[in-house]
Amino acid sequence: MTAAQTRTARTICPLCEATCGVIITLEDGRATTVRGDDADRFSRGFICPKGAQLAALNADPDRLSGPMVRVDGVLTPVDWETAFEAVAKGLMPLLEAHGRDSVALYLGNPTVHNLGLSLYTRPLIKALRTRNLYSASTVDQMPKHVSSAQLFGHPDTIPVPDLDHTMLLVVLGANPMISNGSLCTAPDFPGRLKALKARGGQLIVVDPKRTKTADFADLHLAIRPGADALLLAALVREVGQTCGISRLTPHCEGADALLEAVERFTPELVAGPCGLEASAIRGLAESLVQIQPAAIYGRIGTCLNPSGTIASWLVDALNALTGNLDRPGGVLFSRPAHYLARPRRAWRSGRHTSRVREAPEVRSELPVAVLPEEILTPGEGQVRGLITIAGNPALSAPDSTTMQTALAALEFMISVDPYLNETTRHADVILPPPPPLSRSHYDLAFSGLSVRDVARFTAAPLPVPDGALEEWQIMARLVAILSGYPVATPAAAVDGVVAQTLAGQLTADPGSALIGVDPKAVLEAVGAKPGPERLLDLLLRAGPRGLDLETLAAAEGGIDFGAIQPRLPGVVSRPSGKVNLAPEPFVAQLSRLLDEPAPSGLRLIGRRHLRSNNSWMHNLPKLASGANRTALQMNPVDAAEREIAGGDVVCIRSEFGSLEVTVELTDRLRAGVVSLPHGWGHGQPGTRQTVAAAHPGVNCNVLTGGAQLDPLSGNAWLNGVPVTLSLATP
Ligand SMILES: Nc1nc2c(c(=O)[nH]1)N[C@H]1C(S)=C(S)[C@@H](COP(=O)(O)OP(=O)(O)OC[C@H]3O[C@@H](n4cnc5c(=O)[nH]c(N)nc54)[C@H](O)[C@@H]3O)O[C@H]1N2
Ligand SMILES: Nc1nc2c(c(=O)[nH]1)N[C@H]1C(S)=C(S)[C@@H](COP(=O)(O)OP(=O)(O)OC[C@H]3O[C@@H](n4cnc5c(=O)[nH]c(N)nc54)[C@H](O)[C@@H]3O)O[C@H]1N2
Ligand code: SF4
Ligand SMILES: [Mo]
């Protein structure tokens, strides 16, 4: 091999929210090694074991290289034109006979890590015009969106902890030493926690498990699952009793109503349900009063239960009351370099409801937990077709058994996905994107959730393989079909319309730097190149930093605009211009929490592994190997009570299903709590993921259910689910 054939290219790892810059070595047009990019202005060389597998992911032999269409019941490779013909032939009759709502759309997690997909989501939703819109958000962060919408006016106006400057970080229900953070984009989260300790700061972790993050903490409070809202209400009350509203920024309203709402939540009252000592709760409140600045941060553990929105709200109410909202070292709003639409209006949900159980729409979405019943319940408005984009609801959504029955019952299904997995095996048409290293990268979502204000763009390290379609082209072709254009309409024609529409919007919004400019001139300035890069260029030009794509692309390692800065009151888009600390529906829901029966029996929670990424990276040998990753972790005390020993196979049951699993004893879990990870249960018939099939694991979402949701956000109840155990009969 000659040196001329070896080169390196920069990209940004698209796998998790940490957005690490990486350097890929390319030999003979193939990615061979991956290392952290020391020149990246944000991640400064950090990389984790998953990022290190990007080259392997890119070259995974099980990745689909071309579209597949079901012919006589069998998924068969076809050319792209045949695939799009099949899409039109399957979808259009359903839409014509049964209306737009008869076809559902599910958007999975990788959508937001992918520029082409994120920019084409809106056009696709607009073209489909279905009320049956679903996403992974309702098995994840929807409570935080609802909370932010009510507090700040927009669901994406989410404050992030100022990790690099805080002196006290309180983490509830997150394990960033393993997950690398979520709704808090901070490459090298572990290093940032070490820096917090090094400058004399404190870390407090509230988690039923003594996690790797808790190992690192000054204090770990092993709360009972699902009790965070109660704990937070008591903390708000205690802080309110000590400092009243003296530390509140003047940009808040509703403080009196907030303090009244938490009045009854004394530490003594919530101690039992939280499984904590009242004195420990008081102690935490005291730390929050004394240590300044402080940041309170809640994530998955606070969101995946029926009081997820209440907990998400109280996290920010507590930040506000302790004087830490919009303050360096507290929680702040990042300012991305691209344009964001933030019209000033009252936010609403429930503008329509699901057909069967009348679950309210939130952000135009219905809870993914109701998708199975919408497919399986006959009648007017029944879902008969489904499009999944980068999602694996067969494993990731609650009540997997019913979900998979529902997917099998669909009349027609399309998946945009690189793998033949538990979900896409049900599809009639699979449209695979090119490998990840064949696309450019810019973080539209995560640059609005970052602990520093940064902008980074990387070009695609590798060309799109022969015969592949770029992901935006696949999306554009779907948009054309759903809009009733001829099937053969080129992607570029659709893209032209999308760019024109965006230019029109950007030149008409007073919140855009392009307000009043002639849209034609703007389009001329960005040039004719189709696809996401032109759309991104438009968004950058309309953004607050006066950037354009060429300038950004030339900035090696990206541009660092510095630490995140206070943004109140401008960032609030509520009609009053103030932060609402006591949204009425939240106050009403909070008061109901005290009426709930005290929890009893065993509760199941989840866990994440450093080498997993939800369900879809178990097909890489280096990430899937090792000891049994889906053992049921339990406390020795619970095991002894049931005469169960480590290594025993037990049957774990819930209202929704049962599984046989091997027990692993650990005193890291508090008694009364057992744990299984999600995203496993591979090797199902009709899938093609060879490595994953050899390490199938069990699917914990067989045990979770969609019957009870967070009423305010529609989020699923996946943590703290009641279960029972018995020894499996050999
Ligand atoms: N390695 C790895 N990294 C990932 C992912 C992955 O699958 N693997 N997934 C990515 C995704 S999509 C996301 S959203 C993020 C999530 O990132 P995190 O929010 O950090 O999620 P987890 O690591 O699951 O940590 C949740 C913690 O909540 C605890 N917990 C469970 N129930 C409760 C409760 O009721 N109260 C409290 N206080 N704690 C509770 C659990 O024990 C666990 O330690 O991670 C991302 N990063
Ligand atoms: N019990 C339990 N369940 C959970 C969780 C939990 O903590 N506990 N966590 C929840 C969370 S936080 C999340 S985010 C969800 C995730 O839920 P989903 O988003 O539904 O599932 P993923 O496992 O992320 O699957 C991603 C899919 O996208 C495909 N994919 C990967 N890259 C690309 C790409 O570039 N383009 C396209 N088109 N497809 C791609 C993969 O092949 C895979 O099929 O799971 C949730 N489920
Ligand atoms: S931490 Fe996340 S973004 Fe960074 S290398 Fe690992 S998977 Fe990629
Ligand atoms: Mo997630």
Side-chain angles (χ1 to χ4, degrees), residues 291-616:
I291 305 176
Q292 295 281 317
I296 302 125
Y297 165 68
R299 206 45 278 276
I300 282 291
T302 58
C303 282
L304 296 185
N305 64 61
S307 51
T309 302
I310 298 300
S312 300
W313 157 47
L314 293 174
V315 162
D316 285 331
L318 195 54
N319 277 316
L321 216 56
T322 52
N324 289 300
L325 176 64
D326 201 45
R327 167 198 196 182
V331 295
L332 292 158
F333 301 92
S334 10
R335 181 193 287 273
H338 61 272
Y339 160 89
L340 291 174
R342 291 288 187 272
R344 200 176 255 219
R345 60 171 174 238
W347 184 83
R348 285 173 56 204
S349 65
R351 292 162 300 175
H352 58 262
T353 59
S354 71
R355 176 181 63 110
V356 178
R357 77 167 83 169
E358 299 184 349
E361 148 286 328
V362 175
R363 300 197 84 179
S364 306
E365 290 186 31
L366 296 172
V368 67
V370 312
L371 178 56
E373 71 203 26
E374 292 298 326
I375 296 172
L376 294 171
T377 313
E380 173 106 15
Q382 182 180 7
V383 170
R384 296 158 190 272
L386 172 67
I387 306 174
T388 68
I389 314 276
N392 194 3
L395 295 189
S396 58
D399 194 358
S400 287
T401 310
T402 313
M403 176 63 85
Q404 299 209 22
T405 305
L407 295 179
L410 287 163
E411 286 174 36
F412 189 68
M413 176 172 161
I414 302 168
S415 292
V416 178
D417 203 287
Y419 284 112
L420 188 42
N421 65 14
E422 300 75 18
T423 293
T424 62
R425 72 188 175 118
H426 295 290
D428 297 287
V429 180
I430 306 180
L431 306 169
L437 297 178
S438 298
R439 61 179 197 243
S440 57
H441 193 96
Y442 174 91
D443 281 296
L444 278 176
F446 305 116
S447 56
L449 296 163
S450 290
V451 299
R452 292 187 72 80
D453 284 331
V454 288
R456 292 167 303 160
F457 172 83
T458 51
L462 286 169
V464 174
D466 283 345
L469 282 193
E470 287 186 61
E471 204 145 16
W472 71 268
Q473 294 174 311
I474 299 174
M475 296 288 273
R477 297 289 302 265
L478 292 177
V479 169
I481 293 169
L482 289 166
S483 305
Y485 301 159
V487 179
T489 305
V494 177
D495 188 62
V497 177
V498 171
Q500 265 173 31
T501 310
L502 182 61
Q505 185 194 340
L506 297 177
T507 50
D509 181 349
S512 150
L514 296 176
I515 176 76
V517 183
D518 175 11
K520 278 207 199 90
V522 173
L523 283 170
E524 249 163 53
V526 296
K529 186 186 183 322
E533 284 155 29
R534 172 167 58 175
L535 303 179
L536 174 62
D537 202 354
L538 288 170
L539 291 169
L540 287 172
R541 286 163 193 255
R545 307 277 188 190
L547 265 185
D548 59 52
L549 187 59
E550 200 185 343
T551 313
L552 180 58
E556 194 184 82
I559 303 176
D560 180 4
F561 297 102
I564 41 177
Q565 296 294 329
R567 292 190 62 196
L568 285 180
V571 77
V572 175
S573 51
R574 298 183 60 245
S576 73
K578 295 204 170 209
V579 177
N580 182 8
L581 290 179
E584 191 278 322
F586 296 3
V587 171
Q589 184 64 22
L590 174 64
S591 71
R592 283 180 213 123
L593 292 188
L594 282 178
D595 307 331
E596 279 170 19
S600 60
L602 279 183
R603 300 286 166 141
L604 174 71
I605 63 168
R607 66 173 184 264
R608 283 177 158 77
H609 191 286
L610 193 58
R611 286 182 288 119
S612 276
N613 202 22
N614 297 328
S615 74
W616 69 278

Side-chain angles (χ1 to χ4, degrees), residues 12-22 34 43 46-52 54 113 178-181 186-189 610 612-613 617:
I12 292 163
C13 175
L15 299 174
C16 91
E17 297 180 39
T19 71
C20 304
V22 294
V34 185
S43 63
F46 180 80
I47 186 172
C48 86
K50 277 179 297 179
L54 267 175
H113 297 263
I178 298 297
S179 69
N180 281 297
D188 193 12
F189 213 120
L610 193 58
S612 276
N613 202 22
M617 289 188 63

Side-chain angles (χ1 to χ4, degrees), residues 37-247:
D37 181 358
D38 295 328
D40 186 289
R41 307 267 289 147
F42 196 17
S43 63
R44 303 192 177 280
F46 180 80
I47 186 172
C48 86
K50 277 179 297 179
Q53 291 303 305
L54 267 175
L57 178 68
N58 211 62
D60 185 348
D62 281 338
R63 174 177 281 279
L64 303 176
S65 57
M68 303 188 86
V69 169
R70 196 171 294 279
V71 181
D72 298 330
V74 182
L75 278 168
T76 311
V78 295
D79 61 44
W80 285 100
E81 293 317 309
T82 309
F84 288 118
E85 290 288 348
V87 166
K89 215 173 131 207
L91 277 184
M92 297 323 273
L94 287 184
L95 293 171
E96 274 153 29
H98 305 288
R100 308 304 292 188
D101 296 339
S102 66
V103 175
L105 176 61
Y106 175 81
L107 302 163
N109 167 280
T111 311
V112 281
H113 297 263
N114 179 319
L115 185 65
L117 280 182
S118 345
L119 286 170
Y120 264 90
T121 301
R122 278 256 317 263
L124 186 71
I125 292 171
K126 273 172 79 180
L128 180 55
R129 283 184 286 120
T130 180
R131 286 184 170 192
N132 280 297
L133 174 62
Y134 303 87
S135 85
S137 294
T138 50
V139 281
D140 190 347
Q141 80 290 1
M142 194 58 105
K144 197 72 201 177
H145 288 308
V146 173
S147 163
S148 278
Q150 292 281 7
L151 268 66
F152 310 114
H154 193 282
D156 294 331
T157 304
I158 295 175
V160 297
D162 186 7
L163 278 192
D164 298 339
H165 305 101
T166 195
M167 290 306 284
L168 169 64
L169 179 68
V170 180
V171 174
L172 299 103
N175 187 13
M177 292 292 276
I178 298 297
S179 69
N180 281 297
S182 175
L183 301 186
C184 175
T185 285
D188 193 12
F189 213 120
R192 290 171 201 267
L193 291 183
K194 280 175 199 141
L196 162 73
K197 301 294 289 288
R199 66 176 175 267
Q202 285 197 35
L203 174 68
I204 297 179
V205 171
V206 180
D207 195 306
K209 184 174 180 184
R210 196 174 71 246
T211 58
K212 284 269 185 272
T213 307
D215 279 343
F216 206 68
D218 299 275
L219 175 67
H220 168 222
L221 298 176
I223 193 170
R224 274 213 176 105
D228 299 82
L230 295 175
L231 170 66
L232 287 157
L235 292 172
V236 171
R237 179 186 187 276
E238 290 304 289
V239 171
Q241 300 250 313
T242 315
C243 6
I245 56 166
S246 60
R247 294 190 182 173

